[in-house]
Amino acid sequence: MKKLIVIIILVLAILGGAAYYRVNELRNQPEIKGIDEIQQDNGLPVRIFECQTESVDDTFLASGTIEPIQTVAIAAEVPGRVEQIQVKVGQPVKQGDLLITLDTTTALLSLRQAEESLRQAEQALTKLENGSRPEEIELARAQMEQARADLDLKKLEKERFSKLFEEEAATLQMKQQTEAACHAAQALFDAAQASYQLARSGPRAEDIELAKIAVDQAKTALAQARDHLEDFYLKAPFDGVIAQKMTEVGDIADFKQTLFRLMRIGRVYSDVDVSELYIGKVNIGMPVKVRADALPGETFVGKVSEINPASTGPGRSYLTRIEIDNRSGRLRQGMFARAEFVMDHIENVFLLPDDAVRDERGQSYVLAISEQNVVEKVDVKTGRMIGDRIIVESGITTGMKVVVMGMNIEPGRKVTIVE
């Protein structure tokens, strides 16, 4: 029993000592201040903007879609079987690059025939222009002399039979036969004599002229055959990219059937709507900065190429075309683009964030921070908005710190600047 009493007394003593220590600790702890008291001592937390003059472009944005300057259909000029396809969709090509080859069997045959016709026509012309050879002239002379001798003989026989007929020693039929033979010999002599004269004098001018015409006609036919052969080779008419392919090897291409679509992408365009508020400051040739959402951080150079004189839609906007340099090939059809128009360049102005300028009964003002970190109300005169900032024309000075974010800020309050 005595042991139990002793244990209880010891426990009570320990608890009493602990309670005394805790009470003494609470008495010595400093008094906790409320939020309002802390802000009163240290100042309200605010964010500031330090005023500096700067130069800025007065711009506005308009959006549109990237489109190629030119898209053409590559069609078959002649019907034929597709023999080879040299390109793929998306492949860049240069002007004159071969895209597709059709079967050239019949075209090559026509070309060979035209070449042979020209060769023969040129040979005939050369023969006429060179005239007769000496041996040909001598042969013609000999033939003429032979015909002359035969004619003389036939004349003698004609005279003899005429006399015999008068003497009734020959019949009328015999007399007529010798006369006919004499006439035939005369014709042969005349022909031989003409051939000899022709051989000596050479071909007539009109014969040579006709031969030249034949050569020209053969050359024209050959050129047409070559052009026809080229129709079986479809080539790129300009630098671009293959946008679509509508045939395969072995297909039979009909006349004027579209086989490819080719896009010119060295220059592209975007049609944007410009509000009537800005259209008066937009001119043909005006430079424009273009950015594509799909290519962050990249800027492309464009210029205004067309302005629709009539407004489009109820918003009184004007469709404006911007041509863009795309030699890099980075811009593609269908990309969403934003065009930045520079209306004016302004030098040495104060530009403040929109939320730094406040208004009270039509008077604009800012809350400036003094060297003692106390808020002061400063009246200002504002100009136009540049994006999300506003021009302040008077009332502020270089280096002035103005509040851009803070709750329940009133002139005379102490503040603390935070990042």
Side-chain angles (χ1 to χ4, degrees):
M1 187 67 180
K2 290 182 180 180
K3 289 183 179 181
L4 180 60
I5 294 172
V6 172
I7 292 173
I8 292 173
I9 293 172
L10 289 173
V11 170
L12 290 174
I14 293 172
L15 291 174
Y20 173 79
Y21 177 79
R22 178 60 180 165
V23 169
N24 187 59
E25 183 181 33
L26 291 173
R27 285 177 179 175
N28 295 329
Q29 185 174 356
E31 181 180 357
I32 299 175
K33 295 183 179 181
I35 294 177
D36 291 341
E37 292 177 311
I38 294 175
Q39 290 181 345
Q40 185 67 31
D41 294 339
N42 299 329
L44 293 172
V46 295
R47 290 182 180 175
I48 66 162
F49 178 82
E50 185 171 344
C51 301
Q52 300 289 340
T53 59
E54 57 182 297
S55 299
V56 66
D57 289 330
D58 186 6
T59 65
F60 73 90
L61 295 176
S63 59
T65 303
I66 297 296
E67 298 292 344
I69 285 289
Q70 185 180 11
T71 301
V72 298
I74 308 298
E77 294 295 330
V78 292
R81 183 178 62 84
V82 177
E83 194 171 77
Q84 292 182 359
I85 297 176
Q86 279 81 8
V87 293
K88 300 178 181 179
V89 173
Q91 178 177 335
V93 296
K94 296 291 185 181
Q95 181 178 359
D97 283 355
L98 183 61
L99 307 180
I100 191 170
T101 303
L102 303 179
D103 184 11
T104 59
T105 302
T106 57
L108 286 173
L109 178 60
S110 298
L111 178 63
R112 299 293 178 264
Q113 291 174 344
E115 290 174 340
E116 178 60 22
S117 296
L118 176 60
R119 186 186 67 80
Q120 293 178 2
E122 288 176 337
Q123 284 182 346
L125 175 61
T126 300
K127 184 176 181 180
L128 288 174
E129 289 178 334
N130 290 339
S132 300
R133 292 176 294 179
E135 53 269 29
E136 292 176 334
I137 297 175
E138 180 60 27
L139 176 61
R141 189 193 64 77
Q143 290 174 344
M144 181 189 68
E145 294 299 333
Q146 179 64 39
R148 186 196 302 276
D150 187 58
L151 175 61
D152 290 342
L153 179 61
K154 293 297 189 293
K155 285 181 177 180
L156 291 175
E157 290 182 354
K158 174 186 173 184
E159 293 176 359
R160 185 168 65 87
F161 274 91
S162 293
K163 290 180 179 180
L164 290 175
F165 176 73
E166 291 176 358
E167 296 173 355
E168 298 181 356
T171 64
L172 178 62
Q173 182 180 7
M174 295 174 63
K175 175 178 178 293
Q176 290 175 340
Q177 287 178 346
T178 57
E179 289 177 350
C182 183
H183 288 309
Q186 181 68 51
L188 290 175
F189 172 73
D190 291 343
Q193 188 178 39
S195 297
Y196 173 64
Q197 294 297 332
L198 179 63
R200 290 187 60 188
S201 62
R204 292 177 297 178
E206 54 266 31
D207 294 333
I208 295 177
E209 188 62 30
L210 288 174
K212 288 181 178 180
I213 293 174
V215 170
D216 291 339
Q217 291 175 340
K219 288 181 178 179
T220 300
L222 178 58
Q224 291 174 343
R226 286 172 176 166
D227 290 341
H228 182 61
L229 179 62
E230 285 298 312
D231 290 338
F232 289 80
Y233 300 94
L234 275 67
K235 299 179 181 180
F238 52 76
D239 295 354
V241 170
I242 302 298
Q244 193 176 7
K245 177 172 72 73
M246 291 91 86
T247 189
E248 298 295 339
V249 173
D251 289 348
I252 302 300
D254 295 329
F255 176 63
K256 292 302 181 183
Q257 176 185 342
T258 297
L259 306 179
F260 291 101
R261 291 197 183 277
L262 179 66
M263 292 192 312
R264 188 192 296 272
I265 62 169
R267 293 192 69 78
V268 295
Y269 75 89
S270 181
D271 287 339
V272 301
D273 288 321
V274 177
S275 168
E276 65 174 344
L277 299 176
Y278 306 120
I279 195 63
K281 295 185 177 181
V282 177
N283 303 301
I284 298 296
M286 180 179 183
V288 181
K289 296 179 182 178
V290 179
R291 298 178 179 87
D293 287 1
L295 303 171
E298 296 187 45
T299 301
F300 299 86
V301 178
K303 66 177 181 179
V304 176
S305 62
E306 297 178 18
I307 301 175
N308 195 323
S311 63
T312 55
R316 296 184 184 278
S317 59
Y318 295 82
L319 193 65
T320 302
R321 174 162 294 187
I322 304 167
E323 289 192 12
I324 309 160
D325 186 350
N326 189 41
R327 283 173 289 184
S328 65
R330 297 281 289 161
L331 293 174
R332 300 194 177 192
Q333 182 183 25
M335 284 185 174
F336 184 78
R338 303 178 191 275
E340 181 181 0
F341 294 79
V342 179
M343 296 182 293
D344 193 11
H345 182 73
I346 308 170
E347 297 280 352
N348 300 324
V349 294
F350 288 106
L351 272 173
L352 271 61
D354 185 35
D355 54 2
V357 180
R358 305 160 191 248
D359 184 83
E360 184 177 25
R361 293 189 294 275
Q363 175 60 53
S364 298
Y365 69 94
V366 297
L367 295 177
I369 308 298
S370 68
E371 294 182 358
Q372 292 76 32
N373 286 349
V374 175
V375 175
E376 298 176 349
K377 180 180 178 182
V378 178
D379 291 336
V380 295
K381 180 182 178 182
T382 59
R384 65 178 184 267
M385 294 289 298
I386 304 292
D388 59 354
R389 297 192 293 170
I390 187 170
I391 294 177
V392 177
E393 298 176 349
S394 63
I396 61 175
T397 58
T398 300
M400 179 183 288
K401 298 180 178 65
V402 298
V403 176
V404 293
M405 184 177 293
M407 300 297 294
N408 302 320
I409 304 297
E410 297 178 357
R413 289 294 301 269
K414 186 177 182 181
V415 296
T416 180
I417 299 172
V418 298
E419 292 295 332

